[in-house]
C-alpha cells in the first residue's frame, strides 16, 4: 500500500510465549524506522499521541497479515532481528492482543532483493 516493505513479528517476554510484543520495522534497504512514524502521523488523526500512533501501526500490520496481499510472505520460525535504536511504546491495556509495540530497523534472514524492494505508491509517506 505504501511502497515500503515492512516486517511484522511478535516477541515473547516470558516462557508463556504469548507474543505480547508486536515488532514492526522497514525491510526495504535505505528506509529508516522513522518513516513508519511519519506514515502514522500522516495517515492518523492530526492530534494523535504516541500511543494512538502506535496503535495505528499495529492495526495496519495486523490488517496486512490477516488480509494478505501479493507482498505478504509468511515464515515459520524465520530469524528476524531488530537493530538497536528504535522506539518502544507500552499500551495502557492490551491492544490487538499485544501489550507493546517495538519499532526499529528490521532484517529477516533469507529474503530476496525483489521481496524487499520499494514499489511505486500513490500514497506519499
Amino acid at each position: 500500500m505504501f511502497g515500503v516493505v515492512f516486517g511484522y513479528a511478535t516477541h515473547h517476554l516470558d516462557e508463556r510465549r504469548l507474543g505480547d510484543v508486536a515488532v514492526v520495522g522497514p525491510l526495504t534497504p535505505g528506509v529508516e524506522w522513522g518513516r513508519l512514524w511519519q506514515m502514522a502521523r500522516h495517515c492518523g488523526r492530526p492530534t494523535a499521541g504516541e500511543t494512538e500512533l502506535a496503535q495505528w501501526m499495529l492495526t495496519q500490520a495486523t490488517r496486512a497479515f490477516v488480509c494478505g496481499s501479493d507482498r505478504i510472505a509468511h515464515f515459520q520460525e524465520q530469524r528476524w532481528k531488530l537493530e538497536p535504536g528504535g522506539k518502544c511504546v507500552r499500551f495502557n491495556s492490551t491492544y490487538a492482543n499485544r501489550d507493546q509495540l517495538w519499532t526499529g530497523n528490521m532484517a529477516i534472514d533469507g529474503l530476496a532483493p525483489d521481496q524487499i524492494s520499494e514499489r511505486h505508491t500513490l500514497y506519499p509517506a
Side-chain angles (χ1 to χ4, degrees):
M1 178 172 157
F2 294 104
V4 174
V5 177
F6 291 96
Y8 171 53
T10 58
H11 177 69
H12 319 293
L13 294 177
D14 61 31
E15 67 281 347
R16 296 176 299 163
R17 299 186 53 79
L18 297 176
D20 35 0
V21 177
V23 182
V24 180
L27 295 170
T28 300
V31 177
E32 297 293 320
W33 64 272
R35 177 102 169 255
L36 185 58
W37 287 89
Q38 282 179 312
M39 288 170 48
R41 176 64 62 203
H42 181 76
C43 296
R45 198 168 55 92
T47 58
E50 191 172 81
T51 299
E52 188 175 335
L53 295 175
Q55 290 173 334
W56 181 89
M57 289 179 234
L58 179 52
T59 299
Q60 300 311 309
T62 302
R63 182 179 58 80
F65 184 76
V66 171
C67 296
S69 77
D70 61 344
R71 304 279 328 248
I72 299 292
H74 297 265
F75 299 98
Q76 296 296 333
E77 300 299 320
Q78 191 74 10
R79 296 189 56 146
W80 60 268
K81 72 175 186 173
L82 194 66
E83 296 176 8
K87 188 175 210 168
C88 173
V89 175
R90 296 178 197 284
F91 300 125
N92 294 330
S93 62
T94 300
Y95 182 81
N97 295 324
R98 307 291 176 242
D99 297 322
Q100 299 177 39
L101 172 70
W102 297 352
T103 59
N105 294 336
M106 191 175 202
I108 298 177
D109 289 344
L111 293 180
D114 66 320
Q115 289 180 290
I116 56 176
S117 62
E118 190 165 1
R119 302 284 202 270
H120 173 73
T121 180
L122 300 175
Y123 302 95

